[in-house]
Amino acid sequence: MLNFAYCSDKYQYTMGKSFYDSGMKDKKAIFNFFYRKAPENNNWAVVSGTQEVIEMIQNLGRMPADFFQKFMPGPEYAEYREYLSGMKFTGNVWAMREGEIAFPNEPVIIVEGPLVEAQVLETPMLCIMNHQMAVATKASRVCRATQHPVSEFGSRRAHGPWAATYGAKAAIIAGCAATSNILTGVMYDYGSTGTMAHSYVTSFGCTVEGEHTAFSQYIKTHMGEPLILLIDTYDTLRCGIKNAIRAFRENGIGNGYKPAFGVRLDSGDLAYLSQKVRSILDRNGLQECQIFATNGLDEYLIADLERQGARIDSYGVGDAIATSKAAPCFGGVYKLVQIDDMPVLKRSEDKIKLINPGFQVTYRIKMQDKEGKGMLNEADVTCLRGDDMERNLLAGETVEIFDEFDRFKHKTLYKGEYQVRPLQHLVIENSKDVHQEHTLAQKKEYFQQTLHDFDASERRLINPHFYKVDISDALYNLKIEILDRLNREINEFKL
């Protein structure tokens, strides 16, 4: 019952029965997972979750027929239930790497396979990807608000154990230095971090001397590990920091202690308190003692603390990241774009919901920056596979790219002046998992390098400069051709 391939909506399977009964189940379908608009006026989103999608797809067809009887009872479903119990995914999947930066309407995942097999992947895929991309994108924003390390501390606020575990993984990919979640640390061989709670301090007695005892015992029992003492249980400045200094001294902890030592602030005016604590520590010869801050932080509060001159060395962020609190619902969708050899689309009066049809691939174009910043990402172009734009890009020829929504905006890419790479990679081939394994640390490093390859104006949190995201002429013309034909048919349609 914990097979997430079946964390699905019933309508995926009711549609499937119609495909099965009408002889359509083996039609070759191509679906795209993509999103339409980045949250919080972001320019882009961070890809996370494709590893779990691959695992989910591999788990299809591992439930007995009586499982399907629970929600599709009756003799009319008997043959279909038997089919589903053995229905494994037999097609191909292309996906962006975890840690990739994806822009609106670009296919993050492309599924090619028999119609029923591809259709039933929709809900579990969206469940995985919408959660992880929301968390990863929020984590990237929080981490970009400061030059100091940010740790993910949000498991207790996450929407269940699954969300806590995989959300922490997404946060690490997108820049967080560490997570408090031990399961994530074990699963991905990344480690976890943690200090103490107020209950630890009060358990030694609700007295100033009890606080000192708590600190001293913690140091004694964790010698050789990072030592971070929580100093705001009673009074940060009048006893907390003093007891911390006393306990450090008594246990021989000072400058030069490895791996690190410090104090944590979890309440009050963090800018003011951090400045005062820093001054007290420095006067007492503990210049290397770090100050760690928590307490309902997000990218806006962190940026504001630093504008106020806060003396904080590291941040812990909880629910803002774990729940993507400001934008908890990531708008990823899974849409059919081709059936057999016929491109299809969903027409909508809402322009943002109009999708790109056909079997696609996206290329990222790099060029030498004119201001001497090195090779930077210049534009993304989504093509129909095999179209003129794709062939010319791969051959390095001179090409002209046009904005999809304003064809007067265009840019010429001259031969020999650019580099291209595809963003989608084959991860499942004829049912076999062929994706290249990367550690969590490698995924994080890949994201950091990818981020670095964008101009600073495109990385800023407020009013980012919008990066060029175009489609090929062939894809644009195909889309317009289908829309024109549909509009003619709709206008001529009568009962």
Side-chain angles (χ1 to χ4, degrees):
M1 296 299 291
L2 292 177
N3 183 340
F4 291 115
Y6 298 97
C7 178
S8 193
D9 292 307
K10 185 174 179 179
Y11 86 124
Q12 307 293 0
Y13 288 88
T14 58
M15 286 189 290
K17 185 174 188 297
S18 295
F19 296 148
Y20 182 85
D21 289 349
S22 62
M24 292 177 61
K25 68 179 179 64
D26 292 322
K27 279 181 168 286
K28 185 174 75 173
I30 298 174
F31 285 83
N32 284 353
F33 165 77
F34 61 96
Y35 73 97
R36 295 182 173 115
K37 188 176 186 298
E40 298 187 78
N41 293 317
N42 226 46
N43 195 7
W44 40 263
V46 182
V47 176
S48 182
T50 54
Q51 179 179 340
E52 286 70 42
V53 166
I54 293 167
E55 294 169 3
M56 176 272 291
I57 292 172
Q58 297 298 313
N59 281 325
L60 200 64
R62 295 187 179 180
M63 299 300 280
D66 60 2
F67 165 79
F68 300 96
Q69 190 167 9
K70 301 290 185 182
F71 63 94
M72 292 185 298
E76 67 274 20
Y77 281 101
E79 183 180 330
Y80 181 50
R81 289 195 299 264
E82 285 297 324
Y83 166 73
L84 290 175
S85 67
M87 186 192 77
K88 297 185 180 298
F89 181 76
T90 60
N92 305 307
V93 178
W94 290 260
M96 292 186 184
R97 275 189 63 171
E98 291 195 303
E100 188 64 85
I101 287 175
F103 289 86
N105 298 313
E106 296 178 346
V108 176
I109 299 175
I110 300 168
V111 175
E112 177 192 37
L115 180 55
V116 175
E117 297 173 20
Q119 178 67 68
V120 299
L121 300 177
E122 177 178 11
T123 300
M125 183 184 296
L126 291 177
C127 177
I128 293 167
M129 296 301 296
N130 280 330
H131 168 247
Q132 291 199 36
M133 288 187 68
V135 174
T137 304
K138 184 62 173 182
S140 79
R141 290 180 59 82
V142 175
C143 292
R144 282 180 286 132
T146 177
Q147 296 298 312
H148 298 295
V150 175
S151 295
E152 184 278 325
F153 278 7
S155 293
R156 65 186 61 196
R157 302 280 192 256
H159 299 151
W162 190 95
T165 302
Y166 292 109
K169 167 221 165 184
I172 294 293
I173 289 173
C176 283
T179 177
S180 64
N181 190 291
I182 58 174
L183 189 55
T184 302
V186 171
M187 285 173 60
Y188 296 100
D189 192 26
Y190 196 81
S192 50
T193 187
T195 57
M196 61 179 67
H198 294 107
S199 60
Y200 172 79
V201 177
T202 57
S203 70
F204 286 84
C206 193
T207 64
V208 171
E209 189 56 33
E211 181 182 54
H212 166 255
T213 303
F215 291 166
S216 187
Q217 286 301 311
Y218 189 87
I219 293 170
K220 285 179 169 62
T221 53
H222 294 279
M223 194 68 73
E225 303 173 26
L227 300 171
I228 310 295
L229 307 180
L230 179 59
I231 62 172
D232 73 327
T233 303
Y234 303 128
D235 191 293
T236 298
L237 298 180
R238 292 194 292 174
C239 64
I241 186 59
K242 296 175 183 177
N243 271 328
I245 292 170
R246 181 181 167 201
F248 284 141
R249 284 175 172 168
E250 290 171 352
N251 289 280
I253 304 300
N255 296 334
Y257 174 79
K258 301 298 181 186
F261 73 111
V263 295
R264 177 159 72 98
L265 303 172
D266 188 51
S267 61
D269 185 333
L270 295 180
Y272 170 80
L273 289 173
S274 67
Q275 292 166 350
K276 290 295 185 182
V277 166
R278 180 76 271 157
S279 178
I280 294 169
L281 289 169
D282 290 350
R283 285 201 310 270
N284 283 272
L286 297 177
Q287 290 84 1
E288 294 182 16
C289 183
Q290 298 180 9
I291 300 174
F292 189 71
T294 53
N295 189 26
L297 299 175
D298 61 15
E299 66 268 44
Y300 304 106
L301 288 172
I302 289 172
D304 193 52
L305 283 169
E306 300 203 345
R307 280 194 294 271
Q308 296 177 59
R311 299 297 302 277
I312 295 168
D313 299 295
S314 187
Y315 298 93
V317 179
D319 52 2
I321 289 177
T323 67
S324 184
K325 192 173 183 179
C329 184
F330 190 83
V333 294
Y334 184 77
K335 296 296 181 183
L336 182 67
V337 295
Q338 187 162 303
I339 188 74
D340 283 339
D341 295 319
M342 181 178 66
V344 298
L345 56 74
K346 176 190 181 296
R347 179 185 179 274
S348 176
E349 293 179 3
D350 188 351
K351 187 170 73 172
I352 198 171
K353 290 192 172 184
L354 185 62
I355 72 172
N356 293 324
F359 195 8
Q360 301 160 33
V361 60
T362 305
Y363 288 94
R364 182 153 292 161
I365 299 163
K366 258 185 166 182
M367 296 182 68
Q368 188 71 37
D369 180 71
K370 294 178 181 177
E371 297 177 4
K373 300 175 184 176
M375 295 292 287
L376 293 180
N377 295 322
E378 180 68 23
D380 285 8
V381 181
T382 299
C383 308
L384 291 172
R385 289 178 184 252
D387 72 10
D388 289 343
M389 178 66 77
E390 182 183 27
R391 287 194 296 271
N392 288 331
L393 285 173
L394 291 176
E397 300 292 338
T398 297
V399 296
E400 196 164 17
I401 57 175
F402 291 85
D403 186 279
E404 178 181 357
F405 301 108
D406 185 350
R407 303 304 277 180
F408 291 102
K409 292 181 180 179
H410 58 92
K411 182 175 181 64
T412 302
L413 308 172
Y414 292 99
K415 184 175 182 176
E417 294 185 0
Y418 66 89
Q419 300 170 359
V420 297
R421 65 179 178 90
L423 298 187
Q424 299 88 10
H425 308 279
L426 190 63
V427 295
I428 294 178
E429 183 175 20
N430 297 325
S431 80
K432 300 286 192 301
D433 180 353
V434 297
H435 86 283
Q436 185 176 355
E437 294 280 355
H438 297 100
T439 66
L440 187 55
Q442 288 171 330
K443 294 171 184 179
K444 178 181 179 180
E445 182 181 1
Y446 179 77
F447 167 71
Q448 296 293 348
Q449 183 57 57
T450 302
L451 182 63
H452 179 266
D453 289 343
F454 285 92
D455 188 82
S457 66
E458 294 154 353
R459 304 196 303 261
R460 63 193 179 211
L461 297 178
I462 307 298
N463 295 325
H465 178 75
F466 277 82
Y467 177 78
K468 299 179 187 69
V469 181
D470 300 331
I471 62 175
S472 69
D473 290 344
L475 178 51
Y476 178 83
N477 291 336
L478 174 64
K479 186 175 183 178
I480 297 302
E481 177 187 326
I482 294 173
L483 288 172
D484 286 346
R485 176 176 52 78
L486 273 173
N487 288 332
R488 286 196 303 272
E489 292 181 7
I490 291 168
N491 290 334
E492 294 168 3
F493 183 74
K494 293 182 176 59
L495 283 176

